[in-house]
Amino acid sequence: MLKGKVTVITGAGRGIGRAIALQFAEYGAKVVINYRSSIAQVEELLNLITNAGGEAIAVQADISKEEEAKKLLEEAVKHFGRLDVLINNAGITKDNLMMRMTEADFDSVIDINLKGTFFCMKHASNIMLKQRSGKIVNISSVVGLTGNVGQINYAASKAGVIGMTKAAARELASRGITVNAVAPGFIETDMTDALSDKMKEATIANIPLKRYGIAREVAGAVSFLASEAANYITGQVLQVDGGMVM
């Protein structure tokens, strides 16, 4: 399904990004693992992929800085010769009630989640336009659709990702490049592990499937949108949320 496709995945050292990297490698993609600081986790991931016969490299870059985002994509082309897929997954949270949120906490989330996605799309599109082909999948969140108490910065960033996805899809469609988003709900990751049992019970009560998702289920949606099976799909938001937002 993705055999030979050169794929850059931002924030791939853990969680959803790690699951995407593993699944893409399993499907035969050539994977570029981007990370900012989780070197031990990245080395383990590289070993898992290469020991299973896959192809992967790791590139350290802080995608909130435009020059580093550009370097990341240039490294992918330098090593593999082209760029077929970009998965914008890197993201952080800095939760607090609006009245207590600092400017620094607001800016850091916007810089990585929103501006980082923009920088990567901008420089990936320069490469893909010359190829007249490519697929971009942005990881948003159901919080970008519904909002959430204590996450005004995160909600703004993820709603912004949806807006950018639709704008980029319109800009790039004439050159055969599709741009879509996946909006996960509550997925079992380090972020949800930090929730109290009471909070977990409350959130599960609002999910029709009555459970959290797993990272591989998000990876499956991303794999579909990056594959040729989704060639006629662009500008869409696919929710992977157990029916939480319908």
Side-chain angles (χ1 to χ4, degrees):
M1 184 164 72
L2 293 164
K3 190 168 181 60
K5 299 292 184 184
V6 178
T7 303
V8 171
I9 306 162
T10 68
R14 58 183 182 170
I16 290 171
R18 182 179 187 276
I20 293 169
L22 285 170
Q23 190 165 109
F24 270 63
E26 182 183 320
Y27 290 155
K30 299 175 181 180
V31 178
V32 179
I33 300 163
N34 161 248
Y35 69 102
R36 188 173 59 163
S37 58
S38 51
I39 182 63
Q41 292 163 312
V42 168
E43 286 176 349
E44 181 201 8
L45 179 58
L46 276 174
N47 288 334
L48 279 173
I49 291 171
T50 54
N51 289 342
E55 288 187 71
I57 62 169
V59 179
Q60 184 177 24
D62 178 352
I63 53 99
S64 69
K65 297 178 172 63
E66 182 168 8
E67 281 306 308
E68 294 197 31
K70 182 181 179 184
K71 181 198 79 174
L72 164 65
L73 297 158
E74 288 174 345
E75 282 294 315
V77 175
K78 182 180 176 182
H79 190 86
F80 288 118
R82 59 183 292 112
L83 174 65
D84 299 299
V85 181
L86 167 66
I87 312 298
N88 282 306
N89 167 75
I92 63 167
T93 57
K94 295 276 186 179
D95 296 350
N96 214 330
L97 293 175
M98 179 170 62
M99 65 186 73
R100 296 176 185 160
M101 187 172 290
T102 66
E103 183 178 5
D105 284 347
F106 187 89
D107 287 349
S108 62
V109 170
I110 295 296
D111 285 347
I112 292 175
N113 299 10
L114 188 61
K115 283 176 68 177
T117 296
F118 163 67
F119 291 146
C120 289
M121 283 204 297
K122 174 183 175 180
H123 292 289
S125 66
N126 286 336
I127 298 164
M128 292 175 175
L129 284 168
K130 292 170 186 170
Q131 297 173 173
R132 300 186 73 88
S133 68
K135 293 184 184 293
I136 298 172
V137 183
N138 298 322
I139 306 300
S140 179
S141 168
V142 292
V143 171
L145 297 166
T146 65
N148 197 31
V149 173
Q151 288 193 309
I152 198 165
N153 50 359
Y154 187 73
S157 72
K158 293 302 188 178
V161 166
I162 290 171
M164 288 200 305
T165 296
K166 293 176 180 290
R170 290 183 181 275
E171 284 191 25
L172 302 175
S174 65
R175 296 295 183 91
I177 300 164
T178 65
V179 188
N180 292 288
V182 170
F186 282 92
I187 307 298
E188 292 178 1
T189 63
D190 292 346
M191 286 185 187
T192 54
D193 286 345
L195 296 175
S196 67
D197 289 342
K198 186 176 179 181
M199 180 67 77
K200 288 178 182 178
E201 288 173 14
T203 53
I204 287 171
N206 290 320
I207 301 171
L209 286 181
K210 298 302 177 192
R211 65 174 178 87
Y212 283 174
I214 59 173
R216 188 172 174 83
E217 290 170 322
V218 180
V222 174
S223 299
F224 164 66
L225 289 173
S227 75
E228 292 182 2
N231 279 354
Y232 200 56
I233 299 172
T234 197
Q236 303 304 306
V237 182
L238 177 56
Q239 293 159 218
V240 183
D241 64 359
M244 182 180 164
V245 180
M246 25 168 128

